[in-house]
Amino acid sequence: MPLPKSSKRVDTAKLAEAPFQLDLLWPVDAVGLMAGVDEAGRGPLAGPVVAAAVILDDLQPIVGLADSKKLTARRRDSLYDEIRAKALCCCVAEASVEEIDALNILQATMLAMRRAVEGLRLKPAMVLVDGNRIPVLNVPAQAIVKGDAKVQAISAASILAKVHRDRLCMQLHEAYPQYGFEVHKGYPTAAHLKALRENGATPAHRRTFGPVKMVLASTADPLAALAR
């Protein structure tokens, strides 16, 4: 299907950095698959940022899809399994701590989103992304503010990304039990900041984030902290 004439004027490189919601350039009744995309883990001090892309199956509706932050952990886990079983296809992708520190968290998030879309088994005709920025993609895309509460495919993506990242944090807890990752999931809570000051930074911490950078700067031997 050819792109609408108006979309040919769009510079996709600039779209990734556009600080506003874009007007819909693709006809709302266009024939083709639609993918929803969302991320989890932009704010934490540790661990990768995770993105998910989901193409739902209209013939297998999923009841109860919503913004993952408004669901209980048990409900998210249940929906996670149902989404993976019923969706036409889905993909969860990450950008590593090293990539976050090298690129910055925004660009690493865009990278994870792009990987999620490119990892789909089926190519969508349209991608709807939660928020006000979109990654550079080879398919038309639309940013939707609070899309995780408005578009079911984005809600599904938010659930996959959130559950996946929470499970990664449980692995971090097993590796570094003194930090409390099972509770704060890497976010800069008072308990996490206290553990960071007392124990130093782990290899899973984002070294360019302020509290981690401060701890590393105040450590006489930063390499010793990484070996804890």
Side-chain angles (χ1 to χ4, degrees):
M1 175 181 295
L3 292 176
K5 291 182 179 179
S6 60
S7 68
K8 293 181 181 178
R9 298 193 300 267
V10 177
D11 183 341
T12 54
K14 292 181 179 179
L15 292 185
E17 301 178 356
F20 53 83
Q21 183 170 351
L22 303 172
D23 291 331
L24 185 60
L25 300 174
W26 196 251
V28 294
D29 59 348
V31 176
L33 300 174
M34 186 275 290
V37 177
D38 202 359
E39 54 76 26
R42 288 184 61 172
L45 304 178
V49 61
V50 176
V54 179
I55 299 177
L56 294 175
D57 185 350
D58 292 340
L59 299 180
Q60 297 193 79
I62 300 173
V63 177
L65 291 175
D67 176 1
S68 63
K69 297 183 291 297
K70 297 183 179 180
L71 301 170
T72 64
R74 177 177 294 183
R75 184 59 178 147
R76 284 195 299 266
D77 284 340
S78 175
L79 285 169
Y80 178 93
D81 293 335
E82 188 173 1
I83 293 164
R84 291 181 63 86
K86 291 184 175 180
L88 286 177
C89 62
C90 56
C91 180
V92 178
E94 303 174 8
S96 68
V97 170
E98 292 77 15
E99 288 171 324
I100 292 170
D101 286 338
L103 299 173
N104 74 45
I105 185 58
L106 173 60
Q107 295 306 319
T109 301
M110 296 296 104
L111 176 61
M113 286 182 170
R114 191 183 77 201
R115 286 171 173 167
V117 173
E118 292 178 348
L120 290 171
R121 178 177 58 85
L122 303 172
K123 185 173 181 177
M126 181 69 187
V127 174
L128 302 181
V129 182
D130 182 57
N132 61 2
R133 297 175 186 268
I134 59 175
V136 176
L137 301 169
N138 62 358
V139 294
Q142 162 83 20
I144 301 181
V145 174
K146 298 184 179 179
D148 49 6
K150 300 174 182 177
V151 179
Q152 286 204 326
I154 297 179
S155 299
S158 76
I159 292 166
L160 293 191
K162 170 67 173 168
V163 172
H164 181 87
R165 193 175 191 285
D166 283 354
R167 292 176 180 178
L168 291 178
C169 287
M170 288 304 299
Q171 295 176 17
L172 287 178
H173 169 65
E174 293 172 2
Y176 309 104
Q178 67 271 41
Y179 289 86
F181 283 110
E182 84 284 11
V183 177
H184 55 65
K185 303 299 190 295
Y187 284 90
T189 64
H192 188 186
L193 295 175
K194 182 174 183 291
L196 191 58
R197 291 192 298 269
E198 292 177 351
N199 300 289
T202 72
H205 279 94
R206 300 171 181 178
R207 302 169 70 81
T208 54
F209 278 44
V212 181
K213 187 185 298 185
M214 290 178 61
V215 166
L216 291 174
S218 64
T219 303
D221 183 4
L223 294 178
L226 294 177
R228 291 175 185 266

mmCIF file of all heavy atoms in Angstrom, residues 126-175:
data_model
loop_
_atom_site.group_PDB
_atom_site.id
_atom_site.type_symbol
_atom_site.label_atom_id
_atom_site.label_comp_id
_atom_site.label_asym_id
_atom_site.label_seq_id
_atom_site.Cartn_x
_atom_site.Cartn_y
_atom_site.Cartn_z
ATOM 1 N N MET A 126 0.927 -0.028 10.613
ATOM 2 C CA MET A 126 0.941 1.180 11.433
ATOM 3 C C MET A 126 1.426 0.814 12.822
ATOM 4 O O MET A 126 1.103 -0.263 13.343
ATOM 5 C CB MET A 126 -0.479 1.778 11.515
ATOM 6 C CG MET A 126 -0.567 3.052 12.315
ATOM 7 S SD MET A 126 0.268 4.414 11.447
ATOM 8 C CE MET A 126 0.190 5.710 12.675
ATOM 9 N N VAL A 127 2.211 1.696 13.433
ATOM 10 C CA VAL A 127 2.707 1.497 14.786
ATOM 11 C C VAL A 127 2.229 2.654 15.654
ATOM 12 O O VAL A 127 2.432 3.823 15.308
ATOM 13 C CB VAL A 127 4.250 1.424 14.814
ATOM 14 C CG1 VAL A 127 4.753 1.366 16.252
ATOM 15 C CG2 VAL A 127 4.740 0.215 14.028
ATOM 16 N N LEU A 128 1.596 2.337 16.768
ATOM 17 C CA LEU A 128 1.141 3.338 17.723
ATOM 18 C C LEU A 128 2.007 3.231 18.969
ATOM 19 O O LEU A 128 2.116 2.155 19.571
ATOM 20 C CB LEU A 128 -0.334 3.124 18.080
ATOM 21 C CG LEU A 128 -1.315 3.151 16.898
ATOM 22 C CD1 LEU A 128 -2.742 2.963 17.395
ATOM 23 C CD2 LEU A 128 -1.183 4.449 16.114
ATOM 24 N N VAL A 129 2.635 4.338 19.346
ATOM 25 C CA VAL A 129 3.612 4.357 20.428
ATOM 26 C C VAL A 129 3.102 5.205 21.583
ATOM 27 O O VAL A 129 2.623 6.325 21.385
ATOM 28 C CB VAL A 129 4.968 4.914 19.943
ATOM 29 C CG1 VAL A 129 5.992 4.894 21.065
ATOM 30 C CG2 VAL A 129 5.470 4.131 18.743
ATOM 31 N N ASP A 130 3.212 4.681 22.791
ATOM 32 C CA ASP A 130 2.806 5.460 23.959
ATOM 33 C C ASP A 130 3.759 6.623 24.175
ATOM 34 O O ASP A 130 4.976 6.479 24.055
ATOM 35 C CB ASP A 130 2.817 4.567 25.205
ATOM 36 C CG ASP A 130 2.359 5.325 26.439
ATOM 37 O OD1 ASP A 130 1.247 5.864 26.430
ATOM 38 O OD2 ASP A 130 3.133 5.392 27.425
ATOM 39 N N GLY A 131 3.205 7.810 24.472
ATOM 40 C CA GLY A 131 4.039 8.965 24.768
ATOM 41 C C GLY A 131 3.986 10.020 23.687
ATOM 42 O O GLY A 131 3.024 10.095 22.914
ATOM 43 N N ASN A 132 5.016 10.832 23.628
ATOM 44 C CA ASN A 132 5.050 11.920 22.644
ATOM 45 C C ASN A 132 6.276 11.872 21.731
ATOM 46 O O ASN A 132 6.598 12.845 21.065
ATOM 47 C CB ASN A 132 4.992 13.273 23.355
ATOM 48 C CG ASN A 132 6.170 13.508 24.293
ATOM 49 O OD1 ASN A 132 7.070 12.681 24.396
ATOM 50 N ND2 ASN A 132 6.141 14.615 24.998
ATOM 51 N N ARG A 133 6.949 10.736 21.707
ATOM 52 C CA ARG A 133 8.088 10.562 20.812
ATOM 53 C C ARG A 133 8.020 9.176 20.186
ATOM 54 O O ARG A 133 7.502 8.234 20.792
ATOM 55 C CB ARG A 133 9.419 10.708 21.565
ATOM 56 C CG ARG A 133 9.638 12.084 22.176
ATOM 57 C CD ARG A 133 10.909 12.091 23.006
ATOM 58 N NE ARG A 133 11.085 13.342 23.717
ATOM 59 C CZ ARG A 133 11.767 14.380 23.257
ATOM 60 N NH1 ARG A 133 12.359 14.299 22.082
ATOM 61 N NH2 ARG A 133 11.877 15.486 23.967
ATOM 62 N N ILE A 134 8.565 9.051 19.002
ATOM 63 C CA ILE A 134 8.598 7.750 18.342
ATOM 64 C C ILE A 134 10.001 7.460 17.840
ATOM 65 O O ILE A 134 10.747 8.376 17.502
ATOM 66 C CB ILE A 134 7.593 7.674 17.177
ATOM 67 C CG1 ILE A 134 7.881 8.747 16.130
ATOM 68 C CG2 ILE A 134 6.166 7.758 17.676
ATOM 69 C CD1 ILE A 134 6.997 8.659 14.907
ATOM 70 N N PRO A 135 10.365 6.179 17.797
ATOM 71 C CA PRO A 135 11.666 5.822 17.234
ATOM 72 C C PRO A 135 11.640 5.921 15.721
ATOM 73 O O PRO A 135 10.564 6.002 15.104
ATOM 74 C CB PRO A 135 11.841 4.366 17.685
ATOM 75 C CG PRO A 135 10.443 3.847 17.784
ATOM 76 C CD PRO A 135 9.616 5.007 18.280
ATOM 77 N N VAL A 136 12.798 5.913 15.119
ATOM 78 C CA VAL A 136 12.883 5.872 13.661
ATOM 79 C C VAL A 136 12.543 4.460 13.210
ATOM 80 O O VAL A 136 13.199 3.491 13.612
ATOM 81 C CB VAL A 136 14.288 6.265 13.177
ATOM 82 C CG1 VAL A 136 14.392 6.110 11.662
ATOM 83 C CG2 VAL A 136 14.605 7.697 13.581
ATOM 84 N N LEU A 137 11.490 4.334 12.400
ATOM 85 C CA LEU A 137 11.021 3.030 11.936
ATOM 86 C C LEU A 137 10.861 3.045 10.424
ATOM 87 O O LEU A 137 10.780 4.108 9.813
ATOM 88 C CB LEU A 137 9.676 2.691 12.596
ATOM 89 C CG LEU A 137 9.639 2.628 14.123
ATOM 90 C CD1 LEU A 137 8.207 2.545 14.609
ATOM 91 C CD2 LEU A 137 10.453 1.433 14.626
ATOM 92 N N ASN A 138 10.751 1.863 9.849
ATOM 93 C CA ASN A 138 10.529 1.778 8.404
ATOM 94 C C ASN A 138 9.052 1.575 8.075
ATOM 95 O O ASN A 138 8.707 1.139 6.986
ATOM 96 C CB ASN A 138 11.372 0.652 7.792
ATOM 97 C CG ASN A 138 11.016 -0.715 8.353
ATOM 98 O OD1 ASN A 138 10.157 -0.843 9.232
ATOM 99 N ND2 ASN A 138 11.679 -1.743 7.859
ATOM 100 N N VAL A 139 8.190 1.879 9.042
ATOM 101 C CA VAL A 139 6.739 1.845 8.840
ATOM 102 C C VAL A 139 6.150 3.119 9.444
ATOM 103 O O VAL A 139 6.768 3.738 10.318
ATOM 104 C CB VAL A 139 6.094 0.609 9.498
ATOM 105 C CG1 VAL A 139 6.561 -0.660 8.812
ATOM 106 C CG2 VAL A 139 6.400 0.565 10.984
ATOM 107 N N PRO A 140 4.968 3.540 8.997
ATOM 108 C CA PRO A 140 4.343 4.734 9.587
ATOM 109 C C PRO A 140 4.098 4.544 11.085
ATOM 110 O O PRO A 140 3.787 3.437 11.539
ATOM 111 C CB PRO A 140 3.020 4.846 8.817
ATOM 112 C CG PRO A 140 3.244 4.107 7.555
ATOM 113 C CD PRO A 140 4.177 2.983 7.886
ATOM 114 N N ALA A 141 4.254 5.613 11.845
ATOM 115 C CA ALA A 141 4.086 5.523 13.296
ATOM 116 C C ALA A 141 3.419 6.779 13.824
ATOM 117 O O ALA A 141 3.517 7.854 13.233
ATOM 118 C CB ALA A 141 5.439 5.321 13.971
ATOM 119 N N GLN A 142 2.750 6.623 14.949
ATOM 120 C CA GLN A 142 2.019 7.711 15.599
ATOM 121 C C GLN A 142 2.288 7.662 17.090
ATOM 122 O O GLN A 142 2.234 6.596 17.712
ATOM 123 C CB GLN A 142 0.520 7.535 15.339
ATOM 124 C CG GLN A 142 -0.394 8.312 16.280
ATOM 125 C CD GLN A 142 -0.583 9.745 15.847
ATOM 126 O OE1 GLN A 142 -0.358 10.058 14.686
ATOM 127 N NE2 GLN A 142 -1.022 10.596 16.745
ATOM 128 N N ALA A 143 2.628 8.790 17.682
ATOM 129 C CA ALA A 143 2.783 8.885 19.131
ATOM 130 C C ALA A 143 1.452 9.280 19.751
ATOM 131 O O ALA A 143 0.783 10.193 19.266
ATOM 132 C CB ALA A 143 3.859 9.909 19.478
ATOM 133 N N ILE A 144 1.068 8.612 20.822
ATOM 134 C CA ILE A 144 -0.205 8.882 21.487
ATOM 135 C C ILE A 144 0.051 9.087 22.972
ATOM 136 O O ILE A 144 0.464 8.157 23.680
ATOM 137 C CB ILE A 144 -1.210 7.739 21.278
ATOM 138 C CG1 ILE A 144 -1.473 7.533 19.780
ATOM 139 C CG2 ILE A 144 -2.511 8.014 22.013
ATOM 140 C CD1 ILE A 144 -2.466 6.440 19.467
ATOM 141 N N VAL A 145 -0.153 10.294 23.445
ATOM 142 C CA VAL A 145 0.021 10.595 24.871
ATOM 143 C C VAL A 145 -0.994 9.798 25.677
ATOM 144 O O VAL A 145 -2.182 9.752 25.344
ATOM 145 C CB VAL A 145 -0.144 12.099 25.124
ATOM 146 C CG1 VAL A 145 -0.099 12.396 26.615
ATOM 147 C CG2 VAL A 145 0.955 12.875 24.389
ATOM 148 N N LYS A 146 -0.502 9.115 26.715
ATOM 149 C CA LYS A 146 -1.327 8.242 27.549
ATOM 150 C C LYS A 146 -1.994 7.147 26.724
ATOM 151 O O LYS A 146 -3.100 6.703 27.011
ATOM 152 C CB LYS A 146 -2.365 9.046 28.326
ATOM 153 C CG LYS A 146 -1.744 10.042 29.295
ATOM 154 C CD LYS A 146 -2.796 10.771 30.122
ATOM 155 C CE LYS A 146 -2.134 11.745 31.089
ATOM 156 N NZ LYS A 146 -3.134 12.499 31.889
ATOM 157 N N GLY A 147 -1.271 6.704 25.701
ATOM 158 C CA GLY A 147 -1.806 5.666 24.829
ATOM 159 C C GLY A 147 -2.039 4.347 25.538
ATOM 160 O O GLY A 147 -2.885 3.556 25.105
ATOM 161 N N ASP A 148 -1.307 4.091 26.643
ATOM 162 C CA ASP A 148 -1.495 2.829 27.360
ATOM 163 C C ASP A 148 -2.863 2.734 28.016
ATOM 164 O O ASP A 148 -3.292 1.653 28.428
ATOM 165 C CB ASP A 148 -0.390 2.612 28.400
ATOM 166 C CG ASP A 148 -0.157 3.816 29.285
ATOM 167 O OD1 ASP A 148 -0.918 4.802 29.193
ATOM 168 O OD2 ASP A 148 0.799 3.784 30.073
ATOM 169 N N ALA A 149 -3.568 3.859 28.113
ATOM 170 C CA ALA A 149 -4.924 3.858 28.655
ATOM 171 C C ALA A 149 -5.975 4.014 27.557
ATOM 172 O O ALA A 149 -7.172 3.941 27.845
ATOM 173 C CB ALA A 149 -5.081 4.979 29.680
ATOM 174 N N LYS A 150 -5.531 4.224 26.309
ATOM 175 C CA LYS A 150 -6.457 4.503 25.217
ATOM 176 C C LYS A 150 -6.491 3.420 24.140
ATOM 177 O O LYS A 150 -7.515 3.238 23.489
ATOM 178 C CB LYS A 150 -6.086 5.837 24.548
ATOM 179 C CG LYS A 150 -6.122 7.040 25.475
ATOM 180 C CD LYS A 150 -5.589 8.275 24.750
ATOM 181 C CE LYS A 150 -5.563 9.494 25.664
ATOM 182 N NZ LYS A 150 -4.983 10.683 24.974
ATOM 183 N N VAL A 151 -5.373 2.749 23.935
ATOM 184 C CA VAL A 151 -5.254 1.789 22.839
ATOM 185 C C VAL A 151 -4.900 0.428 23.423
ATOM 186 O O VAL A 151 -3.892 0.284 24.120
ATOM 187 C CB VAL A 151 -4.159 2.223 21.838
ATOM 188 C CG1 VAL A 151 -4.022 1.206 20.713
ATOM 189 C CG2 VAL A 151 -4.472 3.608 21.285
ATOM 190 N N GLN A 152 -5.713 -0.580 23.133
ATOM 191 C CA GLN A 152 -5.509 -1.892 23.748
ATOM 192 C C GLN A 152 -4.161 -2.505 23.392
ATOM 193 O O GLN A 152 -3.525 -3.145 24.236
ATOM 194 C CB GLN A 152 -6.644 -2.834 23.348
ATOM 195 C CG GLN A 152 -7.959 -2.544 24.052
ATOM 196 C CD GLN A 152 -8.866 -3.761 24.103
ATOM 197 O OE1 GLN A 152 -8.876 -4.574 23.186
ATOM 198 N NE2 GLN A 152 -9.616 -3.887 25.182
ATOM 199 N N ALA A 153 -3.710 -2.331 22.167
ATOM 200 C CA ALA A 153 -2.423 -2.902 21.782
ATOM 201 C C ALA A 153 -1.277 -2.259 22.565
ATOM 202 O O ALA A 153 -0.297 -2.931 22.922
ATOM 203 C CB ALA A 153 -2.195 -2.743 20.280
ATOM 204 N N ILE A 154 -1.398 -0.958 22.847
ATOM 205 C CA ILE A 154 -0.377 -0.297 23.665
ATOM 206 C C ILE A 154 -0.474 -0.778 25.104
ATOM 207 O O ILE A 154 0.548 -0.999 25.772
ATOM 208 C CB ILE A 154 -0.519 1.236 23.583
ATOM 209 C CG1 ILE A 154 -0.286 1.725 22.156
ATOM 210 C CG2 ILE A 154 0.478 1.908 24.529
ATOM 211 C CD1 ILE A 154 -0.430 3.233 21.982
ATOM 212 N N SER A 155 -1.694 -0.958 25.616
ATOM 213 C CA SER A 155 -1.875 -1.506 26.962
ATOM 214 C C SER A 155 -1.204 -2.870 27.067
ATOM 215 O O SER A 155 -0.502 -3.164 28.050
ATOM 216 C CB SER A 155 -3.366 -1.644 27.293
ATOM 217 O OG SER A 155 -4.024 -0.409 27.256
ATOM 218 N N ALA A 156 -1.410 -3.698 26.053
ATOM 219 C CA ALA A 156 -0.795 -5.027 26.049
ATOM 220 C C ALA A 156 0.724 -4.921 26.049
ATOM 221 O O ALA A 156 1.413 -5.658 26.765
ATOM 222 C CB ALA A 156 -1.278 -5.813 24.838
ATOM 223 N N ALA A 157 1.257 -3.985 25.254
ATOM 224 C CA ALA A 157 2.704 -3.792 25.210
ATOM 225 C C ALA A 157 3.242 -3.317 26.557
ATOM 226 O O ALA A 157 4.317 -3.748 27.002
ATOM 227 C CB ALA A 157 3.063 -2.793 24.104
ATOM 228 N N SER A 158 2.488 -2.439 27.215
ATOM 229 C CA SER A 158 2.936 -1.942 28.518
ATOM 230 C C SER A 158 3.000 -3.066 29.538
ATOM 231 O O SER A 158 3.892 -3.102 30.387
ATOM 232 C CB SER A 158 2.015 -0.817 29.002
ATOM 233 O OG SER A 158 0.787 -1.312 29.497
ATOM 234 N N ILE A 159 2.059 -4.005 29.455
ATOM 235 C CA ILE A 159 2.038 -5.143 30.380
ATOM 236 C C ILE A 159 3.219 -6.063 30.115
ATOM 237 O O ILE A 159 3.922 -6.480 31.053
ATOM 238 C CB ILE A 159 0.704 -5.896 30.258
ATOM 239 C CG1 ILE A 159 -0.442 -5.022 30.787
ATOM 240 C CG2 ILE A 159 0.754 -7.221 31.013
ATOM 241 C CD1 ILE A 159 -1.826 -5.515 30.423
ATOM 242 N N LEU A 160 3.468 -6.382 28.862
ATOM 243 C CA LEU A 160 4.611 -7.247 28.543
ATOM 244 C C LEU A 160 5.923 -6.622 29.006
ATOM 245 O O LEU A 160 6.779 -7.295 29.593
ATOM 246 C CB LEU A 160 4.668 -7.525 27.041
ATOM 247 C CG LEU A 160 3.557 -8.368 26.420
ATOM 248 C CD1 LEU A 160 3.953 -8.748 24.983
ATOM 249 C CD2 LEU A 160 3.264 -9.613 27.227
ATOM 250 N N ALA A 161 6.098 -5.335 28.732
ATOM 251 C CA ALA A 161 7.349 -4.667 29.102
ATOM 252 C C ALA A 161 7.517 -4.609 30.616
ATOM 253 O O ALA A 161 8.607 -4.866 31.146
ATOM 254 C CB ALA A 161 7.381 -3.259 28.506
ATOM 255 N N LYS A 162 6.449 -4.278 31.316
ATOM 256 C CA LYS A 162 6.509 -4.161 32.773
ATOM 257 C C LYS A 162 6.804 -5.501 33.429
ATOM 258 O O LYS A 162 7.676 -5.593 34.306
ATOM 259 C CB LYS A 162 5.174 -3.598 33.276
ATOM 260 C CG LYS A 162 4.980 -3.623 34.784
ATOM 261 C CD LYS A 162 5.928 -2.699 35.508
ATOM 262 C CE LYS A 162 5.581 -2.640 36.994
ATOM 263 N NZ LYS A 162 6.655 -1.965 37.783
ATOM 264 N N VAL A 163 6.095 -6.554 33.030
ATOM 265 C CA VAL A 163 6.308 -7.868 33.638
ATOM 266 C C VAL A 163 7.718 -8.374 33.332
ATOM 267 O O VAL A 163 8.410 -8.899 34.223
ATOM 268 C CB VAL A 163 5.245 -8.868 33.155
ATOM 269 C CG1 VAL A 163 5.589 -10.285 33.627
ATOM 270 C CG2 VAL A 163 3.862 -8.460 33.668
ATOM 271 N N HIS A 164 8.149 -8.203 32.098
ATOM 272 C CA HIS A 164 9.491 -8.644 31.723
ATOM 273 C C HIS A 164 10.538 -7.949 32.576
ATOM 274 O O HIS A 164 11.452 -8.598 33.111
ATOM 275 C CB HIS A 164 9.737 -8.355 30.245
ATOM 276 C CG HIS A 164 11.084 -8.802 29.761
ATOM 277 N ND1 HIS A 164 11.332 -10.072 29.308
ATOM 278 C CD2 HIS A 164 12.265 -8.123 29.653
ATOM 279 C CE1 HIS A 164 12.605 -10.175 28.954
ATOM 280 N NE2 HIS A 164 13.192 -9.009 29.145
ATOM 281 N N ARG A 165 10.397 -6.635 32.733
ATOM 282 C CA ARG A 165 11.408 -5.913 33.508
ATOM 283 C C ARG A 165 11.342 -6.253 34.995
ATOM 284 O O ARG A 165 12.371 -6.377 35.655
ATOM 285 C CB ARG A 165 11.258 -4.401 33.312
ATOM 286 C CG ARG A 165 12.482 -3.680 33.846
ATOM 287 C CD ARG A 165 12.512 -2.206 33.609
ATOM 288 N NE ARG A 165 13.829 -1.716 33.945
ATOM 289 C CZ ARG A 165 14.281 -1.560 35.191
ATOM 290 N NH1 ARG A 165 13.497 -1.848 36.201
ATOM 291 N NH2 ARG A 165 15.509 -1.143 35.418
ATOM 292 N N ASP A 166 10.151 -6.439 35.529
ATOM 293 C CA ASP A 166 10.032 -6.838 36.935
ATOM 294 C C ASP A 166 10.720 -8.174 37.187
ATOM 295 O O ASP A 166 11.347 -8.381 38.230
ATOM 296 C CB ASP A 166 8.564 -6.922 37.340
ATOM 297 C CG ASP A 166 7.938 -5.555 37.571
ATOM 298 O OD1 ASP A 166 8.681 -4.541 37.520
ATOM 299 O OD2 ASP A 166 6.722 -5.495 37.808
ATOM 300 N N ARG A 167 10.619 -9.071 36.218
ATOM 301 C CA ARG A 167 11.279 -10.368 36.370
ATOM 302 C C ARG A 167 12.797 -10.231 36.287
ATOM 303 O O ARG A 167 13.529 -10.946 36.985
ATOM 304 C CB ARG A 167 10.749 -11.344 35.316
ATOM 305 C CG ARG A 167 9.287 -11.715 35.564
ATOM 306 C CD ARG A 167 8.697 -12.609 34.490
ATOM 307 N NE ARG A 167 7.295 -12.924 34.777
ATOM 308 C CZ ARG A 167 6.503 -13.655 34.014
ATOM 309 N NH1 ARG A 167 6.984 -14.159 32.873
ATOM 310 N NH2 ARG A 167 5.248 -13.886 34.358
ATOM 311 N N LEU A 168 13.269 -9.306 35.473
ATOM 312 C CA LEU A 168 14.703 -9.024 35.450
ATOM 313 C C LEU A 168 15.167 -8.495 36.805
ATOM 314 O O LEU A 168 16.266 -8.827 37.271
ATOM 315 C CB LEU A 168 15.024 -8.003 34.359
ATOM 316 C CG LEU A 168 14.884 -8.452 32.907
ATOM 317 C CD1 LEU A 168 15.192 -7.290 31.962
ATOM 318 C CD2 LEU A 168 15.785 -9.635 32.605
ATOM 319 N N CYS A 169 14.328 -7.675 37.428
ATOM 320 C CA CYS A 169 14.683 -7.123 38.739
ATOM 321 C C CYS A 169 14.723 -8.206 39.814
ATOM 322 O O CYS A 169 15.511 -8.108 40.765
ATOM 323 C CB CYS A 169 13.710 -6.015 39.132
ATOM 324 S SG CYS A 169 13.955 -4.490 38.198
ATOM 325 N N MET A 170 13.904 -9.235 39.676
ATOM 326 C CA MET A 170 13.981 -10.357 40.609
ATOM 327 C C MET A 170 15.316 -11.081 40.444
ATOM 328 O O MET A 170 15.900 -11.557 41.431
ATOM 329 C CB MET A 170 12.817 -11.306 40.378
ATOM 330 C CG MET A 170 11.471 -10.757 40.839
ATOM 331 S SD MET A 170 11.471 -10.255 42.583
ATOM 332 C CE MET A 170 11.845 -11.823 43.387
ATOM 333 N N GLN A 171 15.810 -11.155 39.210
ATOM 334 C CA GLN A 171 17.128 -11.747 38.990
ATOM 335 C C GLN A 171 18.226 -10.892 39.623
ATOM 336 O O GLN A 171 19.185 -11.415 40.193
ATOM 337 C CB GLN A 171 17.374 -11.912 37.494
ATOM 338 C CG GLN A 171 16.445 -12.905 36.812
ATOM 339 C CD GLN A 171 16.662 -12.975 35.310
ATOM 340 O OE1 GLN A 171 17.693 -12.536 34.786
ATOM 341 N NE2 GLN A 171 15.690 -13.506 34.598
ATOM 342 N N LEU A 172 18.056 -9.563 39.531
ATOM 343 C CA LEU A 172 19.017 -8.671 40.186
ATOM 344 C C LEU A 172 18.969 -8.855 41.694
ATOM 345 O O LEU A 172 20.002 -8.795 42.373
ATOM 346 C CB LEU A 172 18.723 -7.212 39.818
ATOM 347 C CG LEU A 172 19.079 -6.776 38.405
ATOM 348 C CD1 LEU A 172 18.691 -5.314 38.186
ATOM 349 C CD2 LEU A 172 20.562 -6.969 38.140
ATOM 350 N N HIS A 173 17.779 -9.065 42.233
ATOM 351 C CA HIS A 173 17.649 -9.294 43.676
ATOM 352 C C HIS A 173 18.402 -10.559 44.086
ATOM 353 O O HIS A 173 19.071 -10.579 45.129
ATOM 354 C CB HIS A 173 16.177 -9.403 44.056
ATOM 355 C CG HIS A 173 15.966 -9.900 45.457
ATOM 356 N ND1 HIS A 173 16.364 -9.183 46.571
ATOM 357 C CD2 HIS A 173 15.422 -11.064 45.930
ATOM 358 C CE1 HIS A 173 16.063 -9.863 47.666
ATOM 359 N NE2 HIS A 173 15.501 -10.997 47.305
ATOM 360 N N GLU A 174 18.300 -11.602 43.281
ATOM 361 C CA GLU A 174 18.994 -12.842 43.606
ATOM 362 C C GLU A 174 20.511 -12.651 43.560
ATOM 363 O O GLU A 174 21.245 -13.239 44.356
ATOM 364 C CB GLU A 174 18.561 -13.938 42.636
ATOM 365 C CG GLU A 174 17.095 -14.336 42.797
ATOM 366 C CD GLU A 174 16.624 -15.287 41.710
ATOM 367 O OE1 GLU A 174 17.459 -15.666 40.848
ATOM 368 O OE2 GLU A 174 15.440 -15.656 41.726
ATOM 369 N N ALA A 175 20.969 -11.809 42.641
ATOM 370 C CA ALA A 175 22.408 -11.573 42.518
ATOM 371 C C ALA A 175 22.916 -10.595 43.577
ATOM 372 O O ALA A 175 24.045 -10.734 44.059
ATOM 373 C CB ALA A 175 22.734 -11.048 41.122
#
